């Protein structure tokens, strides 16, 4: 079972305000609408209880956060609305964690070894200094010393489109190791989105599929992938047929009920659910968040609203 299919259970739950997979030291990945202000409370709780808990709750100003141990590396954090009963929140979270037993999760980013290595090299350097004699520099006439000034690596030419499979490159581990220079550079440019994208790089997902799983636009994911490709963090495998555009199967919402019987705040979204637009397109047209558009459809799914599949030719 794929991770995104399991997390869909949370994504379409009206009582869920946001969720994220979190490492033992409190770094969120694959985050969906989890507010930044609840992270310090989650991180503080994990600092104390990470090694011992299986299921626990944290009360925040935005609602109840339930933390559930998924495996030795990952914790699932789910933010529920404040009016939900604690017992129900715990049960909903546990049911998702039970499903995740069938999912093969990626390894978490590795902690940086830079500090340890630097300390070791420093002590070695001090020992060497005490045992070596000072040597005067000298120059041989007619021979120029090699230029050791570091130069920026020229980016590889990039021809990446939505249908390309994303593969792990030579510097993938370095980029995913916390606090390395490459990891810092990655986060300063793209925040946690880049790490989420790299966690999805399993050599099976295309750029389009990653965008779909993370609820981001293809353009956003392409920007990350192209930068990572130039830095040799990822590699790609692109089918030739993309040159003329490729066919994508997309699911579009279709509302078939009486709109007068729906909640007033849901009507602007439902009125546009005509089987011709995606939820992302509807959210953009109404200038609202994707999550708000999604919440307007949840109560009607399987009743008066269904998703229809349409083929769509994608061009860049």
């Amino acid at each position: 079972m794929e991770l995104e299919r399991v997390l869909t259970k949370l994504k379409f739950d009206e009582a869920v305000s946001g969720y994220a997979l979190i490492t033992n030291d409190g770094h969120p990945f694959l985050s969906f609408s989890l507010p930044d202000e609840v992270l310090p409370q989650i991180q503080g709780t994990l600092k104390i209880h990470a090694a011992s808990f299986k299921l626990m709750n944290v009360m925040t100003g935005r609602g109840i956060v339930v933390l559930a141990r998924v495996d030795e590396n990952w914790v699932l954090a789910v933010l529920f609305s404040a009016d939900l009963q604690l017992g129900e929140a715990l049960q909903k979270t546990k049911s998702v964690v039970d499903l995740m037993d069938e999912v093969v999760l990626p390894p978490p980013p590795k902690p940086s070894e830079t500090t340890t290595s630097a300390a070791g090299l420093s002590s070695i350097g001090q020992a060497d200094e005490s045992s070596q004699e000072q040597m005067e520099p000298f120059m041989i006439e007619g021979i120029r010393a090699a230029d050791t000034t570091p130069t920026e690596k020229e980016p590889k030419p990039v021809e990446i489109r939505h249908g390309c499979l994303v593969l792990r490159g030579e510097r993938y581990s370095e980029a995913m190791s916390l606090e390395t220079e490459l990891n810092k550079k990655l986060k300063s440019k793209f925040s946690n989105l880049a790490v989420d994208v790299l966690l999805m790089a399993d050599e099976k997902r295309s750029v389009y599929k990653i965008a779909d799983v993370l609820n981001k636009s293809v353009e956003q994911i392409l920007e990350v992938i192209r930068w990572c490709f130039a830095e040799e963090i990822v590699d790609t495998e692109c089918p030739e047929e993309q040159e003329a555009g490729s066919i994508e199967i997309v699911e579009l919402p279709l509302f078939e009920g009486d709109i007068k019987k729906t909640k007033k705040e849901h009507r602007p979204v439902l009125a546009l659910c005509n089987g011709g637009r995606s939820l992302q397109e509807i959210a953009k047209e109404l200038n609202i968040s994707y999550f708000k558009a999604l919440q307007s459809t949840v109560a009607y799914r399987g009743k008066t609203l269904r998703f229809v599949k349409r083929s769509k030719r994608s061009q860049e």
Side-chain angles (χ1 to χ4, degrees), residues 161-190:
R161 297 189 180 184
H162 61 273
C164 295
L165 291 179
V166 183
L167 318 175
R168 297 181 180 185
E170 292 180 11
R171 303 181 72 195
Y172 180 88
S173 294
E174 182 186 350
M176 294 296 279
S177 297
L178 300 178
E179 302 307 320
T180 60
E181 287 304 315
L182 186 57
N183 182 267
K184 290 177 183 177
K185 189 177 177 183
L186 188 71
K187 287 184 178 178
S188 69
K189 191 167 183 66
F190 300 107

Coordinates of all heavy atoms in Angstrom, one line a residue, residues 161-190:
R161 N 10.5 17.6 -17.6 CA 9.1 17.9 -17.7 C 8.3 17.0 -16.8 O 8.8 16.2 -16.0 CB 8.6 17.7 -19.2 CG 9.3 18.6 -20.2 CD 8.7 18.6 -21.5 NE 9.4 19.5 -22.4 CZ 8.9 19.7 -23.7 NH1 7.9 19.1 -24.1 NH2 9.6 20.5 -24.5
H162 N 7.0 17.2 -16.8 CA 6.1 16.6 -15.8 C 6.1 15.1 -15.8 O 5.9 14.5 -14.8 CB 4.7 17.1 -16.0 CG 4.2 16.7 -17.4 ND1 4.4 17.5 -18.5 CD2 3.5 15.6 -17.8 CE1 3.8 16.8 -19.6 NE2 3.3 15.7 -19.2
G163 N 6.4 14.5 -16.9 CA 6.4 13.0 -17.0 C 7.7 12.3 -16.6 O 7.7 11.1 -16.6
C164 N 8.7 13.1 -16.3 CA 10.0 12.4 -16.0 C 10.0 11.7 -14.6 O 9.4 12.3 -13.6 CB 11.1 13.5 -15.9 SG 11.4 14.3 -17.5
L165 N 10.5 10.5 -14.6 CA 10.7 9.8 -13.3 C 11.8 10.5 -12.5 O 12.9 10.9 -13.1 CB 11.0 8.4 -13.5 CG 9.9 7.5 -14.1 CD1 10.5 6.1 -14.3 CD2 8.7 7.5 -13.2
V166 N 11.7 10.6 -11.2 CA 12.7 11.3 -10.4 C 13.5 10.2 -9.7 O 13.0 9.4 -8.9 CB 12.1 12.2 -9.4 CG1 13.1 12.9 -8.6 CG2 11.2 13.3 -10.1
L167 N 14.8 10.2 -9.9 CA 15.7 9.2 -9.3 C 16.7 9.9 -8.3 O 16.9 11.1 -8.4 CB 16.6 8.5 -10.4 CG 15.8 8.1 -11.7 CD1 16.8 7.6 -12.7 CD2 14.8 7.1 -11.5
R168 N 17.2 9.1 -7.4 CA 18.2 9.7 -6.5 C 19.5 9.8 -7.1 O 20.1 8.9 -7.7 CB 18.2 8.8 -5.2 CG 16.9 8.7 -4.5 CD 16.9 7.9 -3.2 NE 15.6 7.9 -2.6 CZ 15.4 7.3 -1.4 NH1 16.3 6.7 -0.8 NH2 14.1 7.3 -0.9
G169 N 20.1 11.0 -6.9 CA 21.4 11.3 -7.5 C 22.6 11.1 -6.5 O 22.4 10.6 -5.4
E170 N 23.8 11.4 -7.0 CA 25.0 11.2 -6.2 C 25.0 11.9 -4.8 O 25.6 11.4 -3.9 CB 26.3 11.6 -7.0 CG 26.5 10.8 -8.2 CD 27.7 11.2 -9.0 OE1 28.5 12.1 -8.5 OE2 28.0 10.8 -10.1
R171 N 24.4 13.1 -4.8 CA 24.5 13.9 -3.5 C 23.2 13.8 -2.7 O 22.9 14.7 -1.9 CB 24.8 15.3 -3.9 CG 26.1 15.5 -4.7 CD 26.4 17.0 -5.0 NE 26.8 17.7 -3.8 CZ 26.8 19.0 -3.7 NH1 26.5 19.8 -4.8 NH2 27.2 19.6 -2.6
Y172 N 22.4 12.8 -3.0 CA 21.1 12.7 -2.3 C 21.3 12.6 -0.8 O 20.6 13.3 -0.1 CB 20.3 11.5 -2.9 CG 19.0 11.3 -2.2 CD1 17.8 11.9 -2.7 CD2 18.8 10.4 -1.1 CE1 16.6 11.7 -2.2 CE2 17.6 10.2 -0.5 CZ 16.5 10.8 -1.1 OH 15.3 10.7 -0.5
S173 N 22.1 11.7 -0.4 CA 22.4 11.5 1.0 C 22.9 12.7 1.7 O 22.5 13.1 2.8 CB 23.3 10.3 1.3 OG 22.8 9.1 0.8
E174 N 23.8 13.4 1.0 CA 24.3 14.7 1.6 C 23.2 15.7 1.8 O 23.1 16.4 2.8 CB 25.4 15.2 0.7 CG 26.0 16.5 1.2 CD 27.0 17.1 0.2 OE1 27.3 16.4 -0.9 OE2 27.4 18.3 0.4
A175 N 22.3 15.8 0.8 CA 21.2 16.8 0.8 C 20.2 16.4 1.9 O 19.6 17.3 2.5 CB 20.5 16.8 -0.5
M176 N 20.1 15.2 2.2 CA 19.1 14.7 3.2 C 19.7 14.6 4.6 O 19.0 14.2 5.5 CB 18.5 13.4 2.8 CG 17.6 13.5 1.5 SD 16.2 14.5 1.7 CE 15.1 13.3 2.5
S177 N 21.0 14.9 4.8 CA 21.6 14.8 6.1 C 21.4 16.2 6.7 O 21.8 17.2 6.2 CB 23.1 14.5 6.0 OG 23.2 13.2 5.4
L178 N 20.8 16.2 7.9 CA 20.5 17.5 8.6 C 21.8 18.3 8.9 O 22.8 17.8 9.3 CB 19.8 17.2 9.9 CG 18.4 16.5 9.7 CD1 17.8 16.2 11.1 CD2 17.5 17.2 8.9
E179 N 21.7 19.6 8.6 CA 22.7 20.6 9.0 C 24.0 20.5 8.1 O 24.9 21.2 8.4 CB 23.1 20.5 10.5 CG 22.0 20.7 11.4 CD 21.2 21.9 11.2 OE1 21.8 23.0 10.9 OE2 20.0 21.9 11.3
T180 N 24.0 19.7 7.0 CA 25.1 19.8 6.1 C 24.8 21.2 5.3 O 23.8 21.7 5.2 CB 25.1 18.7 5.1 OG1 23.8 18.7 4.3 CG2 25.3 17.3 5.8
E181 N 25.9 21.6 4.6 CA 25.8 22.9 3.9 C 24.8 22.8 2.8 O 24.0 23.7 2.5 CB 27.2 23.3 3.3 CG 28.1 23.8 4.4 CD 27.6 25.0 5.1 OE1 27.0 25.9 4.5 OE2 27.7 25.0 6.4
L182 N 24.7 21.6 2.1 CA 23.8 21.4 1.0 C 22.4 21.3 1.5 O 21.5 21.9 0.9 CB 24.1 20.1 0.3 CG 23.3 19.8 -1.0 CD1 23.5 20.9 -2.0 CD2 23.8 18.5 -1.6
N183 N 22.2 20.7 2.7 CA 20.8 20.6 3.3 C 20.4 22.1 3.7 O 19.2 22.4 3.4 CB 20.9 19.8 4.5 CG 19.5 19.6 5.2 OD1 19.2 20.4 6.1 ND2 18.7 18.6 4.8
K184 N 21.2 22.9 4.2 CA 20.9 24.2 4.6 C 20.6 25.1 3.3 O 19.6 25.9 3.3 CB 22.1 24.9 5.3 CG 22.3 24.4 6.7 CD 23.5 25.0 7.4 CE 23.8 24.5 8.7 NZ 25.0 25.0 9.3
K185 N 21.4 24.9 2.3 CA 21.1 25.6 1.0 C 19.8 25.2 0.4 O 19.0 26.1 -0.1 CB 22.3 25.2 0.1 CG 22.3 26.1 -1.2 CD 23.6 25.7 -2.0 CE 23.6 26.4 -3.4 NZ 24.8 26.0 -4.2
L186 N 19.5 23.9 0.5 CA 18.2 23.4 0.0 C 17.0 24.0 0.7 O 16.1 24.5 0.1 CB 18.2 21.9 0.2 CG 17.1 21.0 -0.5 CD1 17.3 21.0 -2.0 CD2 17.2 19.6 0.1
K187 N 17.1 24.0 2.1 CA 16.0 24.6 2.9 C 15.8 26.1 2.7 O 14.7 26.6 2.8 CB 16.2 24.1 4.3 CG 15.9 22.7 4.6 CD 16.0 22.3 6.1 CE 15.7 20.9 6.3 NZ 15.8 20.5 7.7
S188 N 17.0 26.8 2.6 CA 16.9 28.2 2.5 C 16.2 28.6 1.2 O 15.6 29.7 1.1 CB 18.3 28.9 2.6 OG 19.1 28.5 1.5
K189 N 16.4 27.8 0.2 CA 15.8 28.1 -1.1 C 14.4 27.7 -1.3 O 13.5 28.4 -1.8 CB 16.7 27.5 -2.2 CG 16.3 28.0 -3.6 CD 17.3 27.6 -4.6 CE 17.0 28.1 -6.0 NZ 17.1 29.6 -6.1
F190 N 14.0 26.5 -0.7 CA 12.7 25.9 -0.9 C 12.0 25.6 0.4 O 10.9 25.0 0.3 CB 12.8 24.7 -1.8 CG 13.4 24.9 -3.1 CD1 14.7 24.5 -3.4 CD2 12.7 25.6 -4.1 CE1 15.2 24.7 -4.7 CE2 13.2 25.8 -5.4 CZ 14.5 25.3 -5.7

